[in-house]
Amino acid sequence: QVQLVETGGGLVQAGGSLRLSCAASGRTFDGYGMGWFRQAPGKEREFVASITWSGADTYYANSVKGRFTISRDNAKNTVYLQMSSLKPEDTAVYYCAVSRDGGAYLTSRHFVYWGQGTQVTVSS
């Protein structure tokens, strides 16, 4: 299977920034959309952002719109989530995932490979 590894999580104060990275091994994800999801303790996994294979179209949850930016560098086989103006409610484990095709989707059923996740904790 394809292996996805998320990095860049950590502990930050409210108002701070982090950039998460998702790198793939086994094969490239050229031709596939990508997404970011998050899950807080005791809560359901929720959609954060997604991007088409070309990077031309992006989608965001209303809760992060204007604060988070998803991007990708297909030459590096890497997808990013730039997070700014972080809030305590952003605290969660963040997961990247590969879409079933080149589209960007909003629900987990459309994603076929998942990373192990990286912890983001926002204090205050």
Side-chain angles (χ1 to χ4, degrees):
Q1 285 189 347
V2 173
Q3 181 175 330
L4 305 176
V5 179
E6 303 98 332
T7 58
L11 174 64
V12 298
Q13 291 185 315
S17 298
L18 285 173
R19 188 180 74 161
L20 306 184
S21 299
C22 174
S25 63
R27 63 178 293 177
T28 70
F29 39 64
D30 286 356
Y32 292 91
M34 297 288 295
W36 288 95
F37 292 77
R38 66 187 183 186
Q39 187 167 26
K43 294 189 176 182
E44 299 289 324
R45 182 172 58 193
E46 65 175 346
F47 168 77
V48 176
S50 60
I51 187 168
T52 55
W53 78 268
S54 69
D57 296 307
T58 58
Y59 300 91
Y60 298 93
N62 288 335
S63 59
V64 307
K65 194 172 297 181
R67 301 187 297 119
F68 291 11
T69 301
I70 187 171
S71 62
R72 66 192 300 164
D73 186 338
N74 289 340
K76 297 180 179 179
N77 208 31
T78 302
V79 176
Y80 304 96
L81 185 69
Q82 177 66 50
M83 305 185 294
S84 300
S85 301
L86 283 162
K87 304 174 180 180
E89 51 262 46
D90 296 318
T91 295
V93 177
Y94 284 71
Y95 301 90
C96 68
V98 182
S99 301
R100 60 178 170 85
D101 55 28
Y105 299 100
L106 309 182
T107 56
S108 60
R109 70 180 183 90
H110 294 289
F111 295 84
V112 296
Y113 294 108
W114 295 81
Q116 293 294 312
T118 186
Q119 177 71 48
V120 172
T121 303
V122 184
S123 64
S124 297

